[in-house]
Amino acid sequence: MKTQPYSSTLLKYIPFLYVIWADDLISPSEIQVFKSAIEKDDLNSEEKKQLLSLANPDNPPTLETRKNWKELIDASGVTLTENISYPLSAFSEKVANYYNSTEKNQLNQSLKAIELNLGIQPNHYRHLFKGTLKVQENIIPYQSEVIDQIMKGDNTEYIDEFRSLLKDAIFDWKLFRDKDAHRAHVLNQVKFLAEKGYGALGYQKAYGGIGKMTPYGSIFEHLMYIDASLTVKFGVQFGLFGGSIQNLGTKKHHDKWLNSTGKAQTLGCFAMTETRHGSNVKGIKTTATYIHETKSIIINTPGPNDNKEYIGNALHSSMATVFAQLIVNGENKGVHAILCEIRNKEGNLNEGITVEDNGYKLGLNGVDNGKIWFNNVAVPKENLLNRFGDIDDQGNYTSPIENSNKRFFTMLGTLVGGRICVAKGALSGAKYALHIATKYALNRRQFNSVSNIQEDLIMDYPSHQMRLMIPIASSYVYQATLDKIIRDYDTVINQDTRKIETQVAALKATITWFANNTIQECREACGGKGYLLENRIGDLKNDVDIFTTFEGDNTVLLQLAAKGVLTDFQSDFNSDSFVDILKYVGKNISDKLTTINPIFTNKTDKEHLYSSEFHLEALRYRTRRLTFSAASRMRKYIKSGMPSYQAFLKVQTHLIVLGEAYAHQMSYKIFTDFLQTIGDKEHQQLFEKLGTLYALQTIKTNADWYLEHGYLSTNKSKAIKRRLERLCSELRPYASTLVDGYGIPKKCITAPIAK
Ligand SMILES: Cc1cc2nc3c(=O)[nH]c(=O)nc-3n(C[C@H](O)[C@H](O)[C@H](O)COP(=O)(O)OP(=O)(O)OC[C@H]3O[C@@H](n4cnc5c(N)ncnc54)[C@H](O)[C@@H]3O)c2cc1C
């Protein structure tokens, strides 16, 4: 019998009210969403009053009323349809139609607004209703192609072309367990890419490139979807070896080597690290002694642990860029780079060179890493990469940079492009794993206590949503950040790169750690399936692991970043004016550390917690306060007579925290600027939510610090936690679209669980 006590217009709100009360979805701050939605609906004042009283958190409906709602809904026999844009609105309309048949084609706008703005998801209510769940095709308001396009931006042409190239059979996925076969395959792929012009992409036009790093960075990150070994080998050959010639050499070196390097006709390695000198490059022991009589430089490995180690491409290369202490007229001029032929045309090692395979590694076994020893190997003086230091015809050392410390950091600074690419590669690894884990979570069903409905998708567990949605949001924030930084790098190349070096140091560390944590989470999120090699996460985990160490160990890099922040990017950390700079920075920041307003500390409403002003201010405040306290502490130690190095060690852990805080603040700021560039308003809102999720998660992760500093009240901290969970469930329907938005070519998704 079709009888019930509500008017036909009010009736469609009953399933909503039932869900809201059953799942505790309305808080005092959200009542406004409900109010403004019904205000806009075609309801009379009596109906509005009645609805508001039924949604009043201060006076919840009785259990009896809620039981009646449930009976009314069940009696309609309407079943839920999952995976449509507004499942609860559609369900509610159908229930209302059952009692008052007023067939309509369009869903009520007010219901849709409540469903969207309160973030009500099927997992909040599907257990509440009778019947079997119907699954309909995924219809949502966002499109992965649009998301992909937004992210590709100005690089679209290069990316699309490269994605087409990846269709070639040479990039089909193969599982290797033999390092020699793997290395040979990767070498072929590198040569193929070089033939197609991708090796030289980052070089100047005269040497086959376009004189920009940005498209090169996009190519680099795409290679991660093929094989991380290929990414790294490609990076070593064209980025590290070729890049050292381009950035540390001059025209004579470019003319002689860059064309053949870009075409992979000359294979080279970048020999910087030594067994006992990795992070401390300044302290490497290899010597390069200039002999004026023969106009040659003698490269030598002095002691048993002074050999080069972990050098990529060591087994395949004919050339090496060797980093060594340059000795001219008996004086050490500091670390310089020298080109050295290590193999002859027949591929045999030259006299005085010893190379040993590093053997099997945890990952990246398609890359031939090895040790290299130099036993008094002579190379012509012209092989000195002489952009920052040269030897004149009289045999004297000359340099455009007087200060040897500054010269050293300037030389290393030119290699920062490689560091951006490493962060980009690691991020691609994370995106790849997130794609696989998300697709699996949208396929795999698991426990459900109600026997008459299907098991839940694992993606419908709030814990799973948190595990995947938060890193998905972060991946977009970091992608936009790295894309901006690499564009900036293209514009400041050959100028003052100090600020960008600081930014990249902080980002490389933060993002490669993020990638490793994410890949591990994705492995676990796929359960046992994630452990199978066919599903690709296992190898990815082992491959991306080392991204935290090479191109700068993360712990060391964060200190470098903090030094840049502390000195306001103005000066070298070890310069004489360092104490003055600390004083300046301390004073400058203390002026900006305004007193915290107690109203702000306690504010927990949705508008405030979702506002980018709150996020930016919170992230900035943390960086500023950490900078101020680190500068004050160091000044105090130095003033009491402690040498600056000891003072630095005293605050070392503090600096590491500062480096990471700086990366978070910078990333979020870049992302909010990026949001303004998105023309499509609907998708812009989706991206805004991703930014909010990133910011709130960052604040929550550091909640103890904010609580200690009185920046957040405990209530606010709890409210942020609740908001995070809600945001994840609000974004859950778009999980699939978001990971498709990465634009990973279909052929690269070989994992059976992701199909
Ligand atoms: C697969 C692979 C490929 C590589 N490819 C190349 C290549 O092609 N060319 C090349 O030149 N090098 C290459 N490397 C070397 C790489 O760059 C170094 O491993 C890296 O710089 C770290 O040096 P290390 O291994 O000596 O570690 P160390 O510097 O000895 O660090 C060991 C530990 O000590 C900590 N530590 C060190 N210094 C500090 C400090 N100041 N403060 C706090 N903690 C500190 C680090 O955090 C780390 O946990 C490669 C390495 C690997 C594994």
Side-chain angles (χ1 to χ4, degrees):
M1 196 175 53
K2 295 185 178 189
T3 55
Q4 49 80 35
Y6 302 106
S7 71
S8 60
T9 32
L10 195 144
L11 181 61
K12 58 183 177 289
Y13 285 90
I14 295 302
F16 269 76
L17 287 166
Y18 180 61
V19 168
I20 283 168
W21 286 114
D23 211 31
D24 204 11
L25 284 171
I26 199 147
S27 65
S29 73
E30 281 165 332
I31 192 74
Q32 198 48 44
V33 171
F34 200 82
K35 260 190 193 165
S36 57
I38 60 171
E39 217 37 72
K40 288 183 190 135
D41 201 359
D42 198 10
L43 296 159
N44 64 38
S45 58
E46 193 44 45
E47 286 168 332
K48 284 180 188 168
K49 209 167 127 198
Q50 197 183 350
L51 272 175
L52 280 181
S53 79
L54 292 173
N56 182 2
D58 298 328
N59 184 21
T62 62
L63 279 179
E64 189 57 28
T65 308
R66 285 154 63 179
K67 208 171 132 229
N68 292 340
W69 290 345
K70 166 95 169 111
E71 279 168 8
L72 181 157
I73 295 164
D74 284 351
S76 74
V78 174
T79 53
L80 271 170
T81 305
E82 196 186 22
N83 283 355
I84 56 173
S85 300
Y86 295 94
L88 187 58
S89 301
F91 177 79
S92 302
E93 293 269 20
K94 281 189 202 153
V95 172
N97 279 341
Y98 170 79
Y99 290 100
N100 301 287
S101 191
T102 50
E103 210 52 64
K104 275 191 287 167
N105 288 330
Q106 286 199 330
L107 293 182
N108 179 289
Q109 291 300 330
S110 295
L111 291 184
K112 281 165 67 178
I114 298 172
E115 188 166 358
L116 184 75
N117 293 320
L118 288 186
I120 305 174
Q121 302 299 337
N123 59 310
H124 295 136
Y125 54 77
R126 64 145 76 99
H127 54 285
L128 300 172
F129 303 128
K130 266 191 173 171
T132 318
L133 218 64
K134 279 190 203 159
V135 178
Q136 245 191 34
E137 211 190 313
N138 199 1
I139 313 162
I140 61 158
Y142 307 116
Q143 287 114 48
S144 56
E145 296 78 18
V146 177
I147 295 172
D148 185 29
Q149 185 53 54
I150 290 170
M151 298 312 291
K152 284 189 292 188
D154 292 345
N155 273 333
T156 302
E157 196 187 322
Y158 290 103
I159 293 175
D160 288 349
E161 201 178 288
F162 193 66
R163 285 181 185 167
S164 288
L165 183 78
L166 292 182
K167 290 186 185 138
D168 194 285
I170 197 168
F171 298 118
D172 291 355
W173 182 62
K174 286 193 181 127
L175 180 61
F176 288 99
R177 276 302 171 257
D178 169 68
K179 69 174 165 50
D180 296 321
H182 195 177
R183 287 171 180 183
H185 182 63
V186 169
L187 179 60
N188 274 340
Q189 290 174 320
V190 166
K191 288 182 174 166
F192 177 84
L193 288 168
E195 264 170 40
K196 299 287 175 193
Y198 287 102
L201 196 63
Y203 306 156
Q204 295 304 321
K205 282 202 178 85
Y207 308 105
I210 54 168
K212 282 199 292 187
M213 278 294 286
T214 310
Y216 175 88
S218 301
I219 301 315
F220 189 86
E221 66 195 27
H222 272 75
L223 292 176
M224 288 296 288
Y225 306 139
I226 303 296
D227 178 357
S229 287
L230 171 60
T231 320
V232 171
K233 179 103 169 166
F234 180 89
V236 168
Q237 165 67 21
F238 306 112
L240 287 181
F241 174 66
S244 66
I245 298 173
Q246 174 170 264
N247 297 313
L248 301 177
T250 49
K251 190 166 184 306
K252 65 181 176 189
H253 304 109
H254 301 164
D255 289 348
K256 189 164 178 191
W257 301 108
L258 269 188
N259 272 323
S260 63
T261 299
K263 290 179 184 148
Q265 289 157 351
T266 299
L267 293 178
C269 58
F270 180 89
M272 180 185 267
T273 305
E274 292 171 3
T275 302
R276 287 279 167 87
H277 287 96
S279 300
N280 180 12
V281 178
K282 226 174 157 191
I284 55 172
K285 297 284 186 205
T286 304
T287 53
T289 310
Y290 177 60
I291 310 291
H292 192 51
E293 290 69 37
T294 53
K295 299 229 172 9
S296 59
I297 296 171
I298 308 295
I299 302 176
N300 192 45
T301 306
N305 290 312
D306 302 332
N307 57 286
K308 299 294 174 185
E309 171 128 38
Y310 320 114
I311 307 306
N313 226 4
L315 282 288
H316 291 150
S317 291
S318 59
M319 295 293 296
T321 296
V322 184
F323 287 79
Q325 305 289 348
L326 180 67
I327 297 162
V328 183
N329 292 329
E331 232 181 84
N332 187 346
K333 300 295 177 186
V335 176
H336 285 68
I338 301 115
L339 285 169
C340 176
E341 189 185 75
I342 58 172
R343 286 188 177 82
N344 61 22
K345 288 202 170 48
E346 287 73 47
N348 299 318
L349 285 172
N350 284 347
E351 207 181 324
I353 309 275
T354 307
V355 173
E356 202 178 273
D357 193 340
N358 264 134
Y360 280 97
K361 304 182 290 280
L362 181 63
L364 296 179
N365 280 305
V367 185
D368 47 317
N369 291 94
K371 304 178 190 179
I372 310 179
W373 286 261
F374 299 87
N375 184 7
N376 292 315
V377 178
V379 302
K381 165 178 167 283
E382 284 66 40
N383 283 18
L384 172 67
L385 294 173
N386 60 344
R387 180 170 164 204
F388 298 107
D390 203 359
I391 301 165
D392 66 18
D393 291 343
Q394 287 69 47
N396 297 315
Y397 179 80
T398 60
S399 170
I401 306 172
E402 195 72 25
N403 180 303
S404 64
N405 205 35
K406 192 167 175 206
R407 185 164 58 235
F408 173 73
F409 284 109
T410 307
M411 281 168 70
L412 290 196
T414 62
L415 306 173
V416 80
R419 210 165 262 170
I420 307 177
C421 287
V422 165
K424 277 184 151 257
L427 183 60
S428 265
K431 289 187 332 192
Y432 193 38
L434 281 167
H435 186 106
I436 296 166
T438 302
K439 293 291 175 179
Y440 183 59
L442 290 168
N443 232 324
R444 174 77 201 269
R445 291 187 181 272
Q446 190 71 281
F447 313 103
N448 190 311
S449 57
V450 186
S451 57
N452 65 346
I453 67 169
Q454 288 183 62
E455 286 184 304
D456 283 336
L457 285 169
I458 54 176
M459 195 63 186
D460 284 326
Y461 296 128
S463 58
H464 221 77
Q465 290 169 9
M466 299 277 280
R467 292 165 89 177
L468 298 180
M469 294 317 306
I470 292 172
I472 288 173
S474 306
S475 71
Y476 276 100
V477 172
Y478 288 140
Q479 182 74 49
T481 303
L482 289 174
D483 286 345
K484 159 86 167 78
I485 291 290
I486 200 163
R487 282 196 306 274
D488 286 355
Y489 179 65
D490 270 335
T491 60
V492 300
I493 244 170
N494 298 333
Q495 298 166 37
D496 188 349
T497 54
R498 271 179 295 192
K499 181 164 182 189
I500 218 157
E501 279 164 45
T502 301
Q503 292 175 320
V504 173
L507 290 173
K508 187 268 178 184
T510 305
I511 295 174
T512 55
W513 270 331
F514 159 77
N516 273 281
N517 294 337
T518 299
I519 295 169
Q520 175 64 26
E521 196 64 65
C522 290
R523 207 295 294 148
E524 292 178 36
C526 295
K529 283 286 179 198
Y531 203 59
L532 304 184
L533 289 184
E534 64 173 14
N535 287 323
R536 306 290 298 269
I537 299 180
D539 271 343
L540 198 60
K541 198 159 103 80
N542 289 344
D543 291 342
V544 175
D545 183 311
I546 195 65
F547 284 51
T548 59
T549 299
F550 61 29
E551 284 282 346
D553 170 85
N554 283 359
T555 305
V556 177
L557 285 183
L558 284 181
Q559 295 171 65
L560 186 75
K563 286 173 183 175
V565 175
L566 268 180
T567 55
D568 205 19
F569 323 111
Q570 300 296 319
S571 146
D572 292 332
F573 197 67
N574 298 319
S575 74
D576 297 339
S577 56
F578 177 57
V579 177
D580 292 340
I581 288 162
L582 280 184
K583 197 169 155 192
Y584 161 77
V585 170
K587 164 89 181 65
N588 199 18
I589 288 177
S590 73
D591 291 348
K592 289 183 190 154
L593 282 176
T594 44
T595 329
I596 305 161
N597 179 340
I599 298 176
F600 179 86
T601 310
N602 283 307
K603 238 173 167 225
T604 56
D605 62 274
K606 183 181 169 186
E607 284 64 38
H608 171 69
L609 294 183
Y610 279 19
S611 76
S612 57
E613 288 76 27
F614 160 56
H615 308 145
L616 273 174
E617 188 41 44
L619 299 179
R620 253 191 225 130
Y621 179 82
R622 183 164 147 80
T623 312
R624 276 199 205 125
R625 179 148 285 282
L626 285 165
T627 310
F628 174 72
S629 49
S632 309
R633 286 180 65 200
M634 282 193 77
R635 261 180 63 217
K636 199 178 84 196
Y637 290 128
I638 293 170
K639 270 169 89 178
S640 73
M642 193 182 277
S644 59
Y645 179 70
Q646 293 305 324
F648 166 74
L649 288 186
K650 281 275 197 192
V651 299
Q652 191 186 36
T653 52
H654 189 146
L655 295 182
I656 290 166
V657 176
L658 167 60
E660 215 168 356
Y662 172 65
H664 291 141
Q665 175 218 302
M666 173 184 19
S667 302
Y668 183 67
K669 171 73 176 86
I670 291 176
F671 192 72
T672 52
D673 293 343
F674 164 75
L675 287 176
Q676 306 313 313
T677 67
I678 302 174
D680 179 321
K681 293 297 157 210
E682 206 158 6
H683 285 81
Q684 189 187 42
Q685 280 177 5
L686 176 68
F687 277 85
E688 268 168 21
K689 280 199 174 166
L690 298 176
T692 303
L693 188 50
Y694 174 81
L696 289 183
Q697 169 66 13
T698 307
I699 296 168
K700 190 207 119 193
T701 308
N702 300 299
D704 54 350
W705 185 91
Y706 284 109
L707 286 162
E708 280 166 16
H709 287 79
Y711 193 85
L712 294 183
S713 66
T714 44
N715 260 351
K716 189 164 180 172
S717 173
K718 283 187 205 155
I720 289 175
K721 221 153 73 187
R722 282 196 300 274
R723 277 289 149 205
L724 271 172
E725 206 164 318
R726 275 292 289 284
L727 253 180
C728 288
S729 75
E730 280 177 37
L731 284 164
R732 177 254 177 264
Y734 320 126
S736 182
T737 309
L738 281 166
V739 295
D740 285 339
Y742 292 151
I744 302 173
K746 273 212 163 51
K747 85 166 260 186
C748 302
I749 310 292
T750 60
I753 56 167
K755 291 198 188 271

